């Protein structure tokens, strides 16, 4: 028995050592092909994991700034045995983003796959191409025009809540804005509202928030990369609970919607009928309805994946940018006054809701949003995994390397944005943009895999910001925000505003 045991243990040790040796050998082969990209020295198997992240977003920002200053606009780090090249150079970023070949997302996007499945954000290849073709028309301006009512009615709920804060102490606006954008995306994506602004303790809302946090933690803990290790960890257990809440919620909504469609068909009401309904209002369709109607006949799973993707990609992002924009307006009284004057010219003293056309006219406010996207870059990093070699710094970089587009750093590059820490919306005046590198400002990414929701996002943010400015004069006691690049940019020291009534 003892002999059998010792033979077995020796066998296990030999297998483990052999596997580790293979990993070290593969890493060293990759390293020799990547020797032309500068970066800190990494350890075999561990790479730079511990010095780089420690799972803390604040460390990630400090370290990436330090690495940029030390190694320049393309540098290499190792997370475990995986090489990651961070790109800040606009020419090199253009090579990646404009390519029809390098559209595969990095391994870290796999972590959200149990939630988002093969939705637009995570899929690639022919599946992605087919779905992108189906989904792009659902963001047509005629459909977005219909959503302005949703932006307005949900925005009014927040304005009413904020009226209780008038002339009071400063308060943290982030959770208000986050619940507002969640209400907007659930109504536009699924046609239902969680009324999260009123019922802020929603289980779904908490699940979405925590699932995003866990995804970020996993990204910087390579030992949690393998699913079997993650599934055994306490984070993995927490993740499964949140996943269950999120999946059952959206599934129930889809089933209800299908029952509703059946009932309408029973009453001979065409679901495709987008004309007047029996109470004289135009019937507004959510993305879910549009996907259900698609002639391409998507399966339930395909529809759910896309709806979950909208829920994930379409609310934390706009919440982050809107909150930072409000803080910037509060901080820079001159910018706030200019934005207010533009809005006053459009509406005068009327309190009518904004229309699609009004929102198009807010050119200065649009520049404020762009400057916010530059300085407080909503998605500070996004990444691709090479499944074909790519030339960087005049040499081919091997398959399997992850390319990280380092948007936050690109947007602070003084070569393209002089005095980069100054908030100046007029950088985005057409005459100032002339001659600027087309890929030095990429908050919504660019090329084939750019953000499909960017027009929706701009309209929603303009609607919310103009509504707040029409009602309140903003100020802030905070001198500086401590930026924390989680999956979207967050402020580590809250976003505090004081409100005075405008009229
Ligand atoms: C300030 C707001 C937003 C910002 C800054 C933003 C930014 C981005 C970025 C950088 C990407 C590319 C990510 C990557 O390559 O990994 C992306 C993709 C995407 N975004 Fe947005 N986004 C915003 C709002 C929205 C909204 C409101 C929606 C939906 C209603 C949305 C839906 C998507 C989807 C589905 C993709 C994947 C597109 C594809 O790969 O074909 N986003 N977004």
């Amino acid at each position: 028995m003892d002999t059998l045991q010792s033979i077995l243990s020796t066998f296990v040790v030999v297998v483990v050592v052999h596997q580790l040796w293979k990993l070290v050998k593969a890493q060293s082969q990759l390293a020799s092909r990547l020797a032309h990209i500068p970066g800190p020295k990494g350890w075999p198997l561990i790479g730079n994991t511990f010095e780089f992240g420690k799972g803390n977003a604040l460390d990630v920002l400090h370290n990436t700034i330090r690495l940029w200053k030390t190694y320049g606009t393309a540098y290499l780090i190792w997370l475990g045995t995986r090489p990651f090249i961070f790109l800040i150079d606009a020419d090199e970023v253009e090579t990646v983003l404009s390519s029809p070949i390098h559209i595969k997302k990095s391994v870290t996007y796999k972590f959200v796959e149990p939630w988002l499945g093969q939705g637009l954000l995570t899929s690639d290849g022919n599946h992605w191409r087919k779905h992108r073709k189906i989904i792009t028309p659902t963001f047509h301006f005629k459909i977005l025009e219909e959503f302005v009512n949703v932006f307005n009615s949900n925005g009014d709920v927040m304005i009413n809540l904020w009226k209780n804060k008038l002339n009071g102490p400063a308060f943290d606006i982030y959770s208000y804005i986050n619940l507002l954008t969640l209400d907007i995306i659930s109504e536009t994506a699924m046609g239902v509202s969680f009324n999260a602004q009123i019922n802020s303790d929603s289980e779904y809302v908490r699940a979405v928030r925590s699932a995003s946090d866990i995804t970020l933690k996993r990204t910087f803990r390579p030992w949690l990369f393998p699913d079997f290790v993650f599934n055994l960890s306490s984070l993995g257990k927490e993740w499964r609970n949140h996943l269950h809440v999120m999946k059952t919620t959206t599934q129930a909504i889809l089933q209800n919607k299908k029952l509703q469609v059946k009932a309408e068909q029973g009453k001979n009401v065409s679901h495709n009928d987008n004309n007047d309904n029996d109470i004289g209002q135009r019937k507004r369709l959510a993305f879910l309805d549009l996907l259900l109607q698609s002639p391409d006949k998507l399966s339930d799973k395909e529809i759910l994946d896309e709806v979950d993707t909208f829920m994930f990609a379409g609310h934390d992002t706009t919440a982050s940018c809107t909150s930072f924009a409000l803080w910037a307006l509060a901080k820079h009284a001159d910018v706030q006054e200019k934005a207010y004057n533009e809005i006053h010219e459009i509406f005068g003293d009327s309190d009518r809701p904004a229309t699609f056309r009004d929102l198009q006219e807010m050119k200065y406010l649009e520049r404020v949003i762009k400057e916010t996207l530059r300085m407080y870059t909503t998605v500070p990093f996004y990444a691709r995994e090479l499944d074909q070699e790519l030339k960087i710094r005049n040499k081919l970089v091997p398959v399997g390397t992850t390319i990280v587009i380092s948007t936050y750093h690109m947007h602070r590059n003084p070569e393209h944005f002089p005095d980069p820490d100054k908030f100046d919306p007029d950088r985005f005046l057409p005459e100032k943009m002339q001659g600027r590198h087309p890929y030095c400002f990429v908050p919504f990414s660019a090329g084939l895999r750019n953000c499909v929701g960017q027009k929706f996002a701009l309209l929603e943010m303009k609607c919310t910001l103009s509504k707040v400015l029409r009602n309140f004069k903003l100020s802030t006691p905070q001198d500086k925000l401590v930026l924390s690049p989680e999956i979207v940019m967050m402020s580590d020291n809250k976003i505090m505003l004081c409100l005075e009534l405008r009229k």
Side-chain angles (χ1 to χ4, degrees):
M1 194 65 186
D2 274 359
T3 325
L4 187 64
Q5 244 176 9
S6 65
I7 291 173
L8 270 177
S9 339
T10 313
F11 178 73
V12 169
V13 170
V14 169
V15 168
V16 170
V17 169
H18 179 68
Q19 289 304 324
L20 289 178
W21 180 78
K22 266 172 58 181
L23 279 174
V24 172
K25 199 170 154 215
Q27 185 180 4
S28 110
Q29 277 166 352
L30 274 178
S32 67
R33 294 200 54 199
L34 289 165
H36 64 295
I37 312 281
K41 200 172 156 37
W43 294 93
L45 298 175
I46 301 164
N48 310 100
T49 307
F50 293 107
E51 65 186 286
F52 184 74
K54 299 183 200 125
N56 175 332
L58 291 176
D59 283 343
V60 171
L61 193 63
H62 292 147
N63 282 327
T64 47
I65 292 173
R66 177 177 55 80
L67 291 168
W68 170 26
K69 301 291 170 204
T70 315
Y71 299 104
T73 52
Y75 61 83
L76 170 73
I77 63 155
W78 295 82
L79 292 179
T81 55
R82 287 176 179 274
F84 287 71
I85 296 178
F86 281 65
L87 288 186
I88 297 161
D89 181 273
D91 278 331
E92 279 163 340
V93 166
E94 177 172 7
T95 315
V96 179
L97 295 184
S98 66
S99 154
I101 297 166
H102 304 293
I103 59 168
K104 185 177 172 196
K105 295 297 179 75
S106 77
V107 66
T108 46
Y109 291 70
K110 294 253 174 295
F111 304 157
V112 282
E113 260 186 32
W115 177 10
L116 310 183
Q118 288 295 297
L120 215 49
L121 189 69
T122 35
S123 59
D124 51 52
N126 287 338
H127 182 95
W128 170 79
R129 271 177 237 279
K130 174 183 158 201
H131 281 233
R132 178 82 191 207
K133 224 167 153 185
I134 296 170
I135 285 168
T136 301
T138 66
F139 284 90
H140 188 275
F141 82 91
K142 282 227 166 88
I143 290 162
L144 296 182
E145 204 170 347
E146 299 281 316
F147 289 158
V148 174
N149 289 338
V150 181
F151 303 158
N152 270 314
S153 57
N154 286 292
D156 288 341
V157 174
M158 190 185 78
I159 296 294
N160 281 331
L161 291 171
W162 281 16
K163 283 189 175 151
N164 298 324
K165 304 280 183 188
L166 277 173
N167 306 320
F171 68 104
D172 185 7
I173 59 166
Y174 186 77
S175 58
Y176 287 90
I177 306 274
N178 193 263
L179 296 175
L180 164 64
T181 58
L182 188 68
D183 275 344
I184 290 175
I185 197 67
S186 47
E187 211 173 322
T188 49
M190 304 189 284
V192 296
S193 176
F194 291 104
N195 280 325
Q197 295 188 83
I198 307 293
N199 169 27
S200 59
D201 205 27
S202 144
E203 204 187 7
Y204 179 80
V205 176
R206 270 187 283 129
V208 170
R209 179 107 220 95
S210 309
S212 305
D213 283 351
I214 294 173
T215 307
L216 179 84
K217 285 186 180 139
R218 193 175 176 194
T219 306
F220 291 102
R221 296 179 188 177
W223 58 94
L224 294 179
F225 280 13
D227 284 339
F228 78 94
V229 180
F230 177 68
N231 290 340
L232 290 171
S233 71
S234 58
L235 274 185
K237 190 166 169 248
E238 234 189 278
W239 164 262
R240 279 196 299 283
N241 292 338
H242 299 314
L243 194 64
H244 178 73
V245 172
M246 295 185 297
K247 283 297 197 192
T248 48
T249 309
T250 45
Q251 256 156 18
I253 290 168
L254 174 63
Q255 291 319 321
N256 275 341
K257 180 65 81 180
K258 287 176 84 175
L259 287 175
Q260 205 181 314
V261 174
K262 236 184 184 167
E264 281 174 7
Q265 279 166 348
K267 283 192 236 154
N268 275 339
V269 179
S270 163
H271 191 62
N272 289 326
D273 187 359
N274 193 21
N275 296 324
D276 293 353
N277 67 16
D278 51 358
I279 51 166
Q281 287 172 320
R282 260 170 76 80
K283 193 166 160 14
R284 190 181 48 244
L285 298 178
F287 290 122
L288 175 56
D289 300 290
L290 298 165
L291 296 179
L292 275 167
Q293 289 177 9
S294 165
D296 294 84
K297 291 271 170 276
L298 298 176
S299 69
D300 280 9
K301 157 108 177 58
E302 285 177 308
I303 292 178
L304 279 175
D305 286 352
E306 297 305 350
V307 168
D308 284 331
T309 297
F310 288 153
M311 293 301 297
F312 172 71
H315 94 279
D316 266 349
T317 43
T318 47
S320 162
C321 184
T322 307
S323 306
F324 280 106
L326 284 172
W327 185 82
L329 286 160
K331 187 82 210 141
H332 305 283
D334 53 331
V335 175
Q336 186 179 162
E337 252 352 81
K338 268 195 191 170
Y340 176 74
N341 289 340
E342 176 182 76
I343 293 164
H344 194 259
E345 267 187 31
I346 297 172
F347 296 97
D349 290 327
S350 156
D351 57 4
R352 68 176 175 81
T355 62
F356 183 74
R357 179 180 282 217
D358 294 329
L359 299 175
Q360 307 296 318
E361 280 177 35
M362 298 177 186
K363 300 285 180 214
Y364 185 71
L365 194 60
E366 185 160 325
R367 296 207 287 280
V368 170
I369 293 172
K370 284 187 175 161
E371 182 65 344
T372 306
L373 286 165
R374 183 189 72 80
M375 279 194 70
Y376 308 103
T377 312
T378 308
V379 184
F381 305 101
Y382 40 90
R384 299 274 188 278
E385 187 174 308
L386 296 185
D387 52 7
Q388 289 192 35
E389 292 178 333
L390 168 73
K391 209 175 233 181
I392 296 182
R393 303 276 141 127
N394 295 322
K395 263 182 112 175
L396 286 175
V397 161
V399 169
T401 306
T402 298
I403 306 292
V404 182
I405 311 297
S406 209
T407 346
Y408 170 84
H409 308 77
M410 295 177 70
H411 294 176
R412 300 268 179 155
N413 189 347
E415 197 187 305
H416 303 291
F417 301 103
D419 201 0
D421 297 335
K422 183 176 171 207
F423 189 85
D424 176 11
D426 285 342
R427 289 178 201 275
F428 291 97
L429 277 169
E431 59 271 27
K432 294 245 178 94
M433 283 167 67
Q434 258 174 24
R436 198 177 281 158
H437 196 297
Y439 282 79
C440 70
F441 178 64
V442 280
F444 293 106
S445 185
L448 289 182
R449 295 216 70 161
N450 69 352
C451 174
V452 78
Q454 58 185 292
K455 290 204 182 94
F456 175 106
L458 278 175
L459 278 179
E460 179 196 312
M461 294 190 292
K462 278 184 178 174
C463 192
T464 305
L465 293 172
S466 60
K467 200 174 277 293
V468 171
L469 288 179
R470 285 168 78 187
N471 281 277
F472 308 114
K473 200 167 177 176
L474 314 174
S475 58
T476 176
Q478 284 174 300
D479 234 16
K480 253 188 134 183
L481 298 180
V482 178
L483 299 187
S484 178
E486 301 182 13
I487 292 177
V488 298
M489 187 66 87
M490 301 289 282
S491 168
D492 202 50
N493 57 337
K494 304 185 175 164
I495 298 186
M496 307 291 289
L497 288 197
C498 299
L499 307 178
E500 266 175 69
L501 202 60
R502 265 279 172 196
K503 45 185 173 179

mmCIF file of all heavy atoms in Angstrom, residues 27 30 34 45-48 76-84 106-108 222 225 385 400-402:
data_model
loop_
_atom_site.group_PDB
_atom_site.id
_atom_site.type_symbol
_atom_site.label_atom_id
_atom_site.label_comp_id
_atom_site.label_asym_id
_atom_site.label_seq_id
_atom_site.Cartn_x
_atom_site.Cartn_y
_atom_site.Cartn_z
ATOM 1 N N GLN A 27 6.516 30.529 -21.565
ATOM 2 C CA GLN A 27 6.620 31.952 -21.193
ATOM 3 C C GLN A 27 7.951 32.518 -21.691
ATOM 4 O O GLN A 27 8.001 33.627 -22.225
ATOM 5 C CB GLN A 27 6.520 32.104 -19.675
ATOM 6 C CG GLN A 27 6.503 33.550 -19.226
ATOM 7 C CD GLN A 27 6.405 33.705 -17.710
ATOM 8 O OE1 GLN A 27 6.413 32.734 -16.974
ATOM 9 N NE2 GLN A 27 6.324 34.948 -17.263
ATOM 10 N N LEU A 30 7.829 33.120 -25.406
ATOM 11 C CA LEU A 30 7.066 34.346 -25.702
ATOM 12 C C LEU A 30 7.913 35.574 -25.370
ATOM 13 O O LEU A 30 7.968 36.533 -26.144
ATOM 14 C CB LEU A 30 5.789 34.405 -24.848
ATOM 15 C CG LEU A 30 4.543 33.689 -25.371
ATOM 16 C CD1 LEU A 30 3.403 33.821 -24.365
ATOM 17 C CD2 LEU A 30 4.117 34.300 -26.700
ATOM 18 N N LEU A 34 9.106 38.974 -27.449
ATOM 19 C CA LEU A 34 8.578 40.288 -27.059
ATOM 20 C C LEU A 34 9.660 41.195 -26.473
ATOM 21 O O LEU A 34 9.359 42.233 -25.874
ATOM 22 C CB LEU A 34 7.449 40.095 -26.019
ATOM 23 C CG LEU A 34 6.156 39.497 -26.594
ATOM 24 C CD1 LEU A 34 5.245 38.990 -25.492
ATOM 25 C CD2 LEU A 34 5.431 40.542 -27.434
ATOM 26 N N LEU A 45 6.335 32.303 -14.206
ATOM 27 C CA LEU A 45 5.000 31.896 -13.727
ATOM 28 C C LEU A 45 4.171 33.023 -13.096
ATOM 29 O O LEU A 45 2.963 33.095 -13.259
ATOM 30 C CB LEU A 45 5.058 30.735 -12.719
ATOM 31 C CG LEU A 45 5.638 29.428 -13.252
ATOM 32 C CD1 LEU A 45 5.766 28.395 -12.129
ATOM 33 C CD2 LEU A 45 4.785 28.861 -14.370
ATOM 34 N N ILE A 46 4.829 33.918 -12.359
ATOM 35 C CA ILE A 46 4.081 34.963 -11.635
ATOM 36 C C ILE A 46 4.036 36.250 -12.436
ATOM 37 O O ILE A 46 3.070 37.009 -12.384
ATOM 38 C CB ILE A 46 4.755 35.264 -10.270
ATOM 39 C CG1 ILE A 46 4.820 34.001 -9.434
ATOM 40 C CG2 ILE A 46 4.003 36.351 -9.506
ATOM 41 C CD1 ILE A 46 5.785 34.120 -8.276
ATOM 42 N N GLY A 47 5.078 36.485 -13.214
ATOM 43 C CA GLY A 47 5.156 37.739 -13.976
ATOM 44 C C GLY A 47 5.254 38.937 -13.050
ATOM 45 O O GLY A 47 5.985 38.916 -12.058
ATOM 46 N N ASN A 48 4.472 39.989 -13.348
ATOM 47 C CA ASN A 48 4.515 41.232 -12.546
ATOM 48 C C ASN A 48 3.256 41.373 -11.685
ATOM 49 O O ASN A 48 2.954 42.464 -11.204
ATOM 50 C CB ASN A 48 4.605 42.461 -13.459
ATOM 51 C CG ASN A 48 5.691 42.346 -14.481
ATOM 52 O OD1 ASN A 48 5.446 42.021 -15.630
ATOM 53 N ND2 ASN A 48 6.920 42.574 -14.052
ATOM 54 N N LEU A 76 5.302 46.418 -21.767
ATOM 55 C CA LEU A 76 4.860 45.035 -21.583
ATOM 56 C C LEU A 76 4.860 44.661 -20.104
ATOM 57 O O LEU A 76 5.838 44.941 -19.400
ATOM 58 C CB LEU A 76 5.852 44.126 -22.334
ATOM 59 C CG LEU A 76 5.747 42.623 -22.113
ATOM 60 C CD1 LEU A 76 4.511 42.060 -22.813
ATOM 61 C CD2 LEU A 76 7.000 41.927 -22.655
ATOM 62 N N ILE A 77 3.779 44.061 -19.648
ATOM 63 C CA ILE A 77 3.811 43.450 -18.307
ATOM 64 C C ILE A 77 3.267 42.027 -18.417
ATOM 65 O O ILE A 77 2.596 41.681 -19.399
ATOM 66 C CB ILE A 77 2.986 44.246 -17.263
ATOM 67 C CG1 ILE A 77 1.516 44.261 -17.638
ATOM 68 C CG2 ILE A 77 3.508 45.636 -17.039
ATOM 69 C CD1 ILE A 77 0.628 44.464 -16.444
ATOM 70 N N TRP A 78 3.549 41.236 -17.403
ATOM 71 C CA TRP A 78 3.086 39.846 -17.389
ATOM 72 C C TRP A 78 2.139 39.652 -16.216
ATOM 73 O O TRP A 78 2.493 39.964 -15.077
ATOM 74 C CB TRP A 78 4.277 38.896 -17.233
ATOM 75 C CG TRP A 78 5.228 38.933 -18.394
ATOM 76 C CD1 TRP A 78 6.220 39.841 -18.607
ATOM 77 C CD2 TRP A 78 5.246 38.028 -19.498
ATOM 78 N NE1 TRP A 78 6.863 39.572 -19.789
ATOM 79 C CE2 TRP A 78 6.293 38.444 -20.358
ATOM 80 C CE3 TRP A 78 4.510 36.901 -19.865
ATOM 81 C CZ2 TRP A 78 6.600 37.785 -21.542
ATOM 82 C CZ3 TRP A 78 4.822 36.237 -21.044
ATOM 83 C CH2 TRP A 78 5.858 36.678 -21.874
ATOM 84 N N LEU A 79 0.940 39.149 -16.517
ATOM 85 C CA LEU A 79 0.047 38.740 -15.431
ATOM 86 C C LEU A 79 0.069 37.217 -15.453
ATOM 87 O O LEU A 79 -0.438 36.607 -16.401
ATOM 88 C CB LEU A 79 -1.371 39.279 -15.621
ATOM 89 C CG LEU A 79 -1.523 40.804 -15.489
ATOM 90 C CD1 LEU A 79 -2.962 41.254 -15.707
ATOM 91 C CD2 LEU A 79 -1.034 41.308 -14.138
ATOM 92 N N GLY A 80 0.698 36.623 -14.452
ATOM 93 C CA GLY A 80 0.966 35.190 -14.526
ATOM 94 C C GLY A 80 1.877 34.951 -15.720
ATOM 95 O O GLY A 80 2.874 35.672 -15.893
ATOM 96 N N THR A 81 1.508 33.999 -16.578
ATOM 97 C CA THR A 81 2.370 33.719 -17.741
ATOM 98 C C THR A 81 1.848 34.412 -18.999
ATOM 99 O O THR A 81 2.298 34.126 -20.102
ATOM 100 C CB THR A 81 2.422 32.192 -18.009
ATOM 101 O OG1 THR A 81 1.079 31.738 -18.147
ATOM 102 C CG2 THR A 81 3.112 31.443 -16.895
ATOM 103 N N ARG A 82 0.862 35.302 -18.807
ATOM 104 C CA ARG A 82 0.263 35.960 -19.980
ATOM 105 C C ARG A 82 0.865 37.340 -20.220
ATOM 106 O O ARG A 82 0.888 38.168 -19.305
ATOM 107 C CB ARG A 82 -1.245 36.156 -19.761
ATOM 108 C CG ARG A 82 -2.020 34.880 -19.845
ATOM 109 C CD ARG A 82 -3.478 35.157 -19.523
ATOM 110 N NE ARG A 82 -4.252 33.944 -19.620
ATOM 111 C CZ ARG A 82 -4.790 33.488 -20.729
ATOM 112 N NH1 ARG A 82 -4.664 34.166 -21.850
ATOM 113 N NH2 ARG A 82 -5.475 32.364 -20.736
ATOM 114 N N PRO A 83 1.320 37.622 -21.457
ATOM 115 C CA PRO A 83 1.863 38.958 -21.754
ATOM 116 C C PRO A 83 0.753 39.964 -22.113
ATOM 117 O O PRO A 83 -0.156 39.632 -22.872
ATOM 118 C CB PRO A 83 2.750 38.708 -22.975
ATOM 119 C CG PRO A 83 2.189 37.479 -23.632
ATOM 120 C CD PRO A 83 1.448 36.683 -22.586
ATOM 121 N N PHE A 84 0.854 41.155 -21.543
ATOM 122 C CA PHE A 84 -0.090 42.240 -21.832
ATOM 123 C C PHE A 84 0.711 43.439 -22.317
ATOM 124 O O PHE A 84 1.575 43.938 -21.592
ATOM 125 C CB PHE A 84 -0.857 42.670 -20.568
ATOM 126 C CG PHE A 84 -1.905 41.672 -20.116
ATOM 127 C CD1 PHE A 84 -1.541 40.452 -19.559
ATOM 128 C CD2 PHE A 84 -3.260 41.974 -20.233
ATOM 129 C CE1 PHE A 84 -2.500 39.533 -19.145
ATOM 130 C CE2 PHE A 84 -4.225 41.060 -19.825
ATOM 131 C CZ PHE A 84 -3.841 39.837 -19.283
ATOM 132 N N SER A 106 -10.148 40.072 -25.036
ATOM 133 C CA SER A 106 -9.124 39.374 -24.253
ATOM 134 C C SER A 106 -9.775 38.377 -23.299
ATOM 135 O O SER A 106 -10.986 38.392 -23.086
ATOM 136 C CB SER A 106 -8.307 40.381 -23.458
ATOM 137 O OG SER A 106 -9.041 40.806 -22.345
ATOM 138 N N VAL A 107 -8.919 37.551 -22.693
ATOM 139 C CA VAL A 107 -9.396 36.472 -21.821
ATOM 140 C C VAL A 107 -10.232 37.013 -20.649
ATOM 141 O O VAL A 107 -11.160 36.354 -20.181
ATOM 142 C CB VAL A 107 -8.188 35.632 -21.310
ATOM 143 C CG1 VAL A 107 -7.293 36.455 -20.408
ATOM 144 C CG2 VAL A 107 -8.661 34.394 -20.565
ATOM 145 N N THR A 108 -9.928 38.249 -20.219
ATOM 146 C CA THR A 108 -10.635 38.779 -19.045
ATOM 147 C C THR A 108 -12.137 38.956 -19.322
ATOM 148 O O THR A 108 -12.947 38.919 -18.404
ATOM 149 C CB THR A 108 -10.024 40.122 -18.601
ATOM 150 O OG1 THR A 108 -9.854 40.925 -19.751
ATOM 151 C CG2 THR A 108 -8.680 39.928 -17.940
ATOM 152 N N PRO A 222 -4.568 36.613 -11.067
ATOM 153 C CA PRO A 222 -4.437 35.555 -12.073
ATOM 154 C C PRO A 222 -4.672 34.161 -11.515
ATOM 155 O O PRO A 222 -5.040 33.256 -12.260
ATOM 156 C CB PRO A 222 -2.998 35.700 -12.572
ATOM 157 C CG PRO A 222 -2.526 37.003 -12.102
ATOM 158 C CD PRO A 222 -3.364 37.451 -10.967
ATOM 159 N N PHE A 225 -7.930 33.045 -12.431
ATOM 160 C CA PHE A 225 -8.284 32.944 -13.856
ATOM 161 C C PHE A 225 -8.942 31.590 -14.175
ATOM 162 O O PHE A 225 -9.985 31.563 -14.797
ATOM 163 C CB PHE A 225 -7.046 33.146 -14.758
ATOM 164 C CG PHE A 225 -6.642 34.600 -14.969
ATOM 165 C CD1 PHE A 225 -7.166 35.626 -14.195
ATOM 166 C CD2 PHE A 225 -5.721 34.944 -15.961
ATOM 167 C CE1 PHE A 225 -6.788 36.958 -14.392
ATOM 168 C CE2 PHE A 225 -5.334 36.277 -16.177
ATOM 169 C CZ PHE A 225 -5.868 37.272 -15.374
ATOM 170 N N GLU A 385 -7.312 40.173 -27.657
ATOM 171 C CA GLU A 385 -6.307 39.108 -27.648
ATOM 172 C C GLU A 385 -5.954 38.779 -29.091
ATOM 173 O O GLU A 385 -6.853 38.571 -29.920
ATOM 174 C CB GLU A 385 -6.858 37.870 -26.948
ATOM 175 C CG GLU A 385 -5.788 36.812 -26.770
ATOM 176 C CD GLU A 385 -6.285 35.638 -25.953
ATOM 177 O OE1 GLU A 385 -6.824 35.858 -24.854
ATOM 178 O OE2 GLU A 385 -6.145 34.505 -26.440
ATOM 179 N N GLY A 400 -1.734 35.290 -28.998
ATOM 180 C CA GLY A 400 -1.917 35.016 -27.556
ATOM 181 C C GLY A 400 -1.592 36.233 -26.704
ATOM 182 O O GLY A 400 -1.981 36.301 -25.529
ATOM 183 N N THR A 401 -0.879 37.230 -27.295
ATOM 184 C CA THR A 401 -0.569 38.447 -26.536
ATOM 185 C C THR A 401 -1.848 39.281 -26.403
ATOM 186 O O THR A 401 -2.640 39.361 -27.339
ATOM 187 C CB THR A 401 0.491 39.293 -27.283
ATOM 188 O OG1 THR A 401 1.610 38.461 -27.543
ATOM 189 C CG2 THR A 401 0.914 40.516 -26.477
ATOM 190 N N THR A 402 -2.032 39.877 -25.236
ATOM 191 C CA THR A 402 -3.183 40.766 -25.045
ATOM 192 C C THR A 402 -2.740 42.212 -25.269
ATOM 193 O O THR A 402 -1.711 42.638 -24.745
ATOM 194 C CB THR A 402 -3.745 40.623 -23.614
ATOM 195 O OG1 THR A 402 -4.195 39.277 -23.464
ATOM 196 C CG2 THR A 402 -4.905 41.565 -23.370
#
